[in-house]
Amino acid sequence: TQLLEQSPQFLSIQEGENLTVYCNSSSVFSSLQWYRQEPGEGPVLLVTVVTGGEVKKLKRLTFQFGDARKDSSLHITAAQPGDTGLYLCAGATTSGTYKYIFGTGTRLKVLA
Amino acid sequence: EAEVAQSPRYKITEKSQAVAFWCDPISGHATLYWYRQILGQGPELLVQFQDESVVDDSQLPKDRFSAERLKGVDSTLKIQPAELGDSAMYLCASSLLGAGYEAFFGQGTRLTVV
């Protein structure tokens, strides 16, 4: 059962545009990760956020963890074709044994 | 750079046959995860190990799936018998022990059941 909803599910934009992907849950997470996955490959870790309200930047990508640690966003500035891929958020839960719950995914296509 | 190794990369099998996947986690990572991912969706956890012990297999279809990590290092996931609906990407990931440590993934095994 997926506890993390991502929006939008699909996004097709032109090179140079900005975009934001959202990851929402009713659960509180001890940390949240963002991954990017290309077809036929495993997810590659982009960033981990731990503290409520935390903002991290990775070149043109900005990640924010919600104050209540239930949601997160990924903002890409001036998207490039190389940003194309499936973006996944994953929350680490500690109810019982800790584990990572993955979001539903956002498929991004950046057109040249 | 340390990586999670998985094999095979691709597997085609006929339904009702047995199939097995292997994973070697990053050295020192006590936690190992097996996920199943349907094309275009997020991964779903099948089983989680801490060292050699299973800590979560609530989503593992135990009538046909089994997983082991006998020495607390590498792991094998088996399906017997395979069904058409098992076609998916099977991902292995590992992490250090404790919440807040990131999970690192292997390249996955793409299974096609015909």
Side-chain angles (χ1 to χ4, degrees), chain A residues 35 37 40-41 48 98-100, chain B residues 31 37 48 56 101-103:
Chain A
Y35 293 83
Q37 185 178 23
E41 302 291 331
T48 295
Y98 68 93
K99 58 185 176 183
Y100 295 95
Chain B
T31 305
Q37 184 179 28
Q48 178 179 339
D56 187 346
Y101 289 110
E102 301 95 338

Side-chain angles (χ1 to χ4, degrees), chain A residues 1-2 30-31 33 35 37 40-43 45 48 50 86 88 92-94 97-105 107, chain B residues 9 31 33 35 37 40-45 48 55-56 89 91 96-107:
Chain A
T1 302
Q2 297 281 9
S30 58
S31 68
Q33 286 76 33
Y35 293 83
Q37 185 178 23
E41 302 291 331
L45 180 68
T48 295
V50 179
L86 179 68
L88 297 161
T93 66
T94 54
T97 184
Y98 68 93
K99 58 185 176 183
Y100 295 95
I101 305 297
F102 275 84
T104 48
R107 184 163 297 283
Chain B
R9 285 292 309 275
T31 305
Y33 313 82
Y35 286 88
Q37 184 179 28
Q41 299 181 13
E44 293 186 284
L45 181 68
Q48 178 179 339
V55 296
D56 187 346
M89 175 77 92
L91 295 163
L96 292 169
L97 183 62
Y101 289 110
E102 301 95 338
F104 294 90
F105 284 83
Q107 291 184 300

Side-chain angles (χ1 to χ4, degrees), chain B:
Chain B
E1 183 177 306
E3 292 183 342
V4 176
Q6 286 189 250
S7 67
R9 285 292 309 275
Y10 306 95
K11 181 69 178 179
I12 300 175
T13 190
E14 294 183 347
K15 63 180 181 179
S16 79
Q17 295 298 304
V19 64
F21 314 128
W22 176 81
C23 172
D24 190 12
I26 294 172
S27 179
H29 281 193
T31 305
L32 185 147
Y33 313 82
W34 283 102
Y35 286 88
R36 178 171 59 187
Q37 184 179 28
I38 305 298
L39 188 63
Q41 299 181 13
E44 293 186 284
L45 181 68
L46 291 174
V47 62
Q48 178 179 339
F49 289 91
Q50 180 177 312
D51 297 312
E52 67 276 6
S53 300
V54 173
V55 296
D56 187 346
D57 63 355
S58 57
Q59 300 303 312
L60 187 71
K62 298 181 187 64
D63 57 334
R64 298 185 300 107
F65 286 65
S66 64
E68 60 183 16
R69 194 184 183 197
L70 293 177
K71 297 182 179 178
V73 181
D74 59 338
S75 175
T76 302
L77 177 69
K78 297 179 181 178
I79 307 175
Q80 182 174 18
E83 296 180 352
L84 295 177
D86 296 331
S87 295
M89 175 77 92
Y90 290 82
L91 295 163
C92 178
S94 70
S95 72
L96 292 169
L97 183 62
Y101 289 110
E102 301 95 338
F104 294 90
F105 284 83
Q107 291 184 300
T109 296
R110 166 69 66 189
L111 173 67
T112 302
V113 182
V114 297

Side-chain angles (χ1 to χ4, degrees), chain A residues 31-36 44-50 54-58 61-64 72-74 88-90, chain B residues 102:
Chain A
S31 68
L32 191 138
Q33 286 76 33
W34 283 93
Y35 293 83
R36 183 171 71 206
V44 175
L45 180 68
L46 296 175
V47 78
T48 295
V49 286
V50 179
E54 182 177 2
V55 177
K56 280 192 175 180
K57 292 191 175 184
L58 185 66
L61 279 59
T62 302
F63 306 86
Q64 184 163 7
S72 181
S73 64
L74 158 61
L88 297 161
C89 62
Chain B
E102 301 95 338

